[in-house]
Amino acid sequence: MADRLRSRTTATLAGDLVAPHMRLALFLLLAPALLWLLGLIVLPHVDLAVLSLRTRVAPRTYELGFGNYRTFIDEPLYWHTFVRTAVMSIFATVCTLLIAFPAAWYIAKIARGRAKSLLFVMCLIPFWVSETVRTLGWMILLRESGVLPRLLVELGITAKPVELLYHDTTILVGLVYTSMLFMVVPLVSALESLDDSLIEAAYDLGGNGLSILRQIVIPHAAPGIAAGSIIVFMLTLGNYLTPTLLGGKNSLWFTEQIYTQFITRFNWEQGAAFGFLLLVLSTAIVWLGLVVTGQKFGDVMRRS
Amino acid sequence: MIPSLPRSLVSRCANIGYVGAFFVFLFVPLVVVAVFAFNDANYPAPPWRGFTLNWFVGSSGGRIGLFGDAPLVKSVATSAIVACWVTALSIAFGAANAFLLERARFRGKTALSMLMLAPLVIPGVILGISILAFASRLAQFANDFLGIEIDFLRPGLPLVVLGQFSYIVSIATLTIAARLKRFDITLEEAAFNLGASRRDVFLTIMLPHLKPALVGAGAIAFLMSFENFNTTLMLVGSDAPLTIMMYGRMREGASPVLNAVSLFLMVASMLLALALLRRPERTDVSRALP
């Protein structure tokens, strides 16, 4: 591929005309990119696809076919987990959007001057800290002997401490928390570019809060909403740490199935099939999000 | 809605209340982690039993503090070594890619630039397993046909570095390319006209211009590598980096020593963040945030 790209080169660096030494320079610049993309992205994924199509029929004997994918369909646990992960990820994305939007609005439109940049930086700070640390915080807050159950007892709301970990809601809280930054940043930048005079004009023309939000703010912020949602969804779907630690044994997250097949059971063929299914789902939803909102992939990634 | 429109007192209070609650939500888990690093109890849970530094410096009575906990300290060092490699590789490859995208013209460039973004939308777990499977196939191949054993293709730190690098370099590329795009090419032409060599131009004009992006990309690469969990989990061998070590201990049960190491991480990453945010060229950093 490198040779093909090189031989088709038309013009090159800094607008110079094609000269042998410039071709060499182009090749030298292409080499790291190709090494990275072919060696670590393209070939491993092709290999993963091939691996997922092999079925173990006897020790060290394999045959080609869709056996691993059939196992996925035949075994309810697997596809239940898959559907559950997808649905909960969508739900978590919607919750993140609903919680982040008013905060982003306040930062972009209401706060002024130093308060504005201070609030924005305060949104970023928790995310400079590792996800492991943030999850540890939630575990200390929510476990039966933790801070929140104790607070509930002392306020007289519950008679004795309740276990707040290991519920679906706990997983959801953790996922929303972990994804917040990736929603707030694109929303703030989208809302900042909305001219206040448009809102004033709409108000003067008799618009109320709801109609202004629906007809002016949301259409304007759509690219930011799309960018944030796509990234949050993707990260949530691929998350491993938060569901396993906050959900415990009941978390049933699909990345956990991949881990189990790959590392615990050493059934790489099955794990590869699961990995591919997750990749297809993730790509499909990202693509769908881009098509529905009419966005370009490159713009979305640069915006976030 | 906005300050220039009449707002009722109720809606103002609701606004401020909401934003207050939002920031409480953001900061409570971190505050809790920090506070219980100093609690004089064997378990990070209320009630408060007094202040202690045991979880940092303790070495007796069943309380091994952070600095006496050899495996934990070693995992911090492992993470730092991995992060240094990832940072160096990401800056080098990211800078080369940035020049490729901004300065070179060739067929298939659009496709290549799209492909460079792809690692950002591939879940980390899948990056991990695909590199694991591919490396193991290469190792198998080398073993079967050439009769040699290639150790670094087996799960371990070299694969962890490659796995993290495979997507962090995308971010470094974006950051450095954005800065290179804003470079005024006439500066370079003027320098050439005045008789500067390629090397002079690169060292005195290009490098100072790119420096903020290189520093920003490096800091982000270091931080993302240090905090990476998903990809690392799939590729790790016997030497566990910090996130993997903490995960293992969190599953076994809780000890305030984890709070202590977390607090240490928080302080370190905040110092890094503040140092970067105070720089005049903050746009490069905030744009490339994870």
Side-chain angles (χ1 to χ4, degrees):
Chain A
M1 184 168 179
D3 283 322
R4 212 178 66 211
L5 278 174
R6 187 173 57 147
S7 61
R8 284 190 187 167
T9 304
T10 46
T12 166
L13 291 172
D16 290 55
L17 286 173
V18 181
H21 76 278
M22 293 315 287
R23 283 195 166 200
L24 181 68
L26 177 66
F27 179 69
L28 287 178
L29 274 182
L30 261 175
L34 291 177
L35 201 64
W36 157 45
L37 291 170
L38 288 181
L40 293 175
I41 307 297
V42 176
L43 290 178
H45 282 86
V46 171
D47 186 45
L48 196 71
V50 173
L51 193 65
S52 77
L53 292 173
R54 296 201 315 173
T55 319
R56 186 158 28 184
V57 286
R60 292 188 75 82
T61 337
Y62 299 92
E63 67 186 27
L64 276 182
F66 289 94
N68 296 315
Y69 294 95
R70 206 169 301 125
T71 312
F72 169 76
I73 295 166
D74 290 343
E75 182 68 62
L77 173 71
Y78 294 153
W79 65 264
H80 277 174
T81 310
F82 189 71
V83 172
R84 178 186 142 89
T85 308
V87 171
M88 277 186 72
S89 298
I90 293 173
F91 197 55
T93 309
V94 173
C95 291
T96 314
L97 176 63
L98 293 180
I99 294 174
F101 195 88
W105 179 266
Y106 190 91
I107 293 171
K109 288 278 162 231
I110 298 179
R112 287 274 173 270
R114 283 184 71 85
K116 182 188 189 121
S117 37
L118 184 72
L119 286 180
F120 189 65
V121 169
M122 269 171 67
C123 276
L124 304 184
I125 282 178
F127 301 92
W128 286 78
V129 179
S130 151
E131 193 185 348
T132 331
V133 174
R134 288 179 260 147
T135 310
L136 179 68
W138 282 111
M139 289 176 82
I140 295 173
L141 274 173
L142 298 178
R143 72 159 66 95
E144 199 180 348
S145 59
V147 178
L148 212 59
R150 199 181 167 85
L151 201 68
L152 291 179
V153 171
E154 280 178 13
L155 292 175
I157 297 173
T158 54
K160 56 180 185 189
V162 282
E163 179 64 272
L164 294 176
L165 276 183
Y166 316 131
H167 301 292
D168 285 359
T169 324
T170 322
I171 302 180
L172 216 55
V173 169
L175 290 171
V176 167
Y177 181 79
T178 277
S179 324
M180 198 51 83
L181 167 84
F182 303 97
M183 192 64 93
V184 170
V185 172
L187 281 183
V188 168
S189 62
L191 289 175
E192 265 186 333
S193 66
L194 172 63
D195 197 337
D196 281 0
S197 58
L198 288 178
I199 300 171
E200 287 159 9
Y203 184 80
D204 291 343
L205 292 169
N208 58 22
L210 202 66
S211 64
I212 293 176
L213 187 70
R214 231 189 49 229
Q215 294 175 20
I216 312 246
V217 177
I218 291 182
H220 180 88
I225 295 175
S229 303
I230 285 172
I231 288 164
V232 167
F233 175 78
M234 214 185 64
L235 291 174
T236 309
L237 197 66
N239 202 323
Y240 181 92
L241 192 72
T242 304
T244 43
L245 284 176
L246 296 182
K249 289 190 174 63
N250 320 323
S251 64
L252 291 178
W253 208 253
F254 201 65
T255 47
E256 233 180 312
Q257 293 289 349
I258 298 177
Y259 181 84
T260 310
Q261 295 296 342
F262 246 83
I263 311 291
T264 320
R265 297 207 189 149
F266 218 70
N267 186 351
W268 284 19
E269 292 74 26
Q270 190 65 56
F274 285 177
F276 234 77
L277 287 166
L278 189 71
L279 187 62
V280 167
L281 175 67
S282 166
T283 316
I285 296 206
V286 168
W287 179 79
L288 202 69
L290 291 174
V291 169
V292 167
T293 56
Q295 300 270 302
K296 284 216 178 67
F297 173 60
D299 299 342
V300 168
M301 294 319 292
R302 268 180 260 295
R303 183 166 295 132
S304 44
Chain B
M1 300 215 52
I2 53 175
S4 53
L5 297 182
R7 291 188 301 159
S8 67
L9 190 67
V10 178
S11 101
R12 272 172 205 235
C13 290
N15 264 330
I16 291 175
Y18 184 86
V19 173
F22 180 77
F23 280 102
V24 167
F25 174 65
L26 285 191
F27 281 90
V28 153
L30 301 182
V31 170
V32 163
V33 168
V35 166
F36 283 103
F38 299 104
N39 191 16
D40 193 3
N42 287 327
Y43 202 67
W48 183 253
R49 294 183 197 276
F51 181 87
T52 178
L53 283 178
N54 278 352
W55 301 113
F56 290 88
V57 295
S59 59
S60 60
R63 288 190 183 180
I64 311 284
L66 163 61
F67 299 112
D69 192 332
L72 208 55
V73 172
K74 184 165 173 279
S75 74
V76 174
T78 307
S79 281
I81 293 167
V82 168
C84 284
W85 276 102
V86 171
T87 307
L89 286 172
S90 298
I91 290 180
F93 277 65
N97 292 341
F99 276 95
L100 186 68
L101 291 180
E102 293 299 323
R103 292 297 184 84
R105 273 185 293 163
F106 54 91
R107 210 174 282 189
K109 185 171 144 180
T110 324
L112 194 75
S113 66
M114 281 292 144
L115 195 59
M116 283 186 180
L117 296 175
L120 297 176
V121 289
I122 301 173
V125 171
I126 293 167
L127 276 179
I129 57 171
S130 65
I131 290 172
L132 174 66
F134 186 58
S136 143
R137 186 182 289 258
L138 290 181
Q140 198 62 45
F141 183 83
N143 202 0
D144 289 352
F145 291 93
L146 308 170
I148 46 172
E149 186 61 43
I150 307 177
D151 268 342
F152 79 89
L153 289 175
R154 301 294 182 191
L157 295 184
L159 277 195
V160 170
V161 169
L162 287 180
Q164 295 181 353
F165 162 77
S166 72
Y167 81 96
I168 292 177
V169 66
S170 288
I171 297 161
T173 302
L174 285 180
T175 314
I176 301 171
R179 180 81 190 162
L180 190 58
K181 201 193 257 316
R182 295 209 301 275
F183 179 73
D184 184 356
I185 208 154
T186 55
L187 289 176
E188 212 178 42
E189 285 164 3
F192 280 128
N193 284 344
L194 293 169
S197 67
R198 276 194 165 275
R199 192 174 150 275
D200 289 339
V201 170
F202 185 77
L203 289 179
T204 56
I205 297 179
M206 186 54 86
L207 211 53
H209 175 79
L210 286 183
K211 201 178 142 211
L214 295 176
V215 173
I220 284 156
F222 191 89
L223 205 69
M224 293 195 79
S225 162
F226 210 92
E227 294 178 356
N228 181 279
F229 180 81
N230 287 353
T231 310
T232 311
L233 181 71
M234 297 295 169
L235 296 170
V236 75
S238 51
D239 296 316
L242 182 63
T243 45
I244 303 290
M245 172 74 86
M246 280 184 70
Y247 172 73
R249 295 213 184 169
M250 276 158 79
R251 297 203 79 166
E252 283 166 16
S255 155
V257 75
L258 292 179
N259 295 51
V261 74
S262 299
L263 183 64
F264 172 79
L265 283 186
M266 274 189 243
V267 171
S269 49
M270 302 240 170
L271 288 179
L272 185 66
L274 290 178
L276 283 169
L277 288 170
R278 287 181 72 88
R279 296 176 62 87
E281 276 300 333
R282 50 187 277 185
T283 45
D284 286 312
V285 178
S286 49
R287 182 170 310 140
L289 254 158

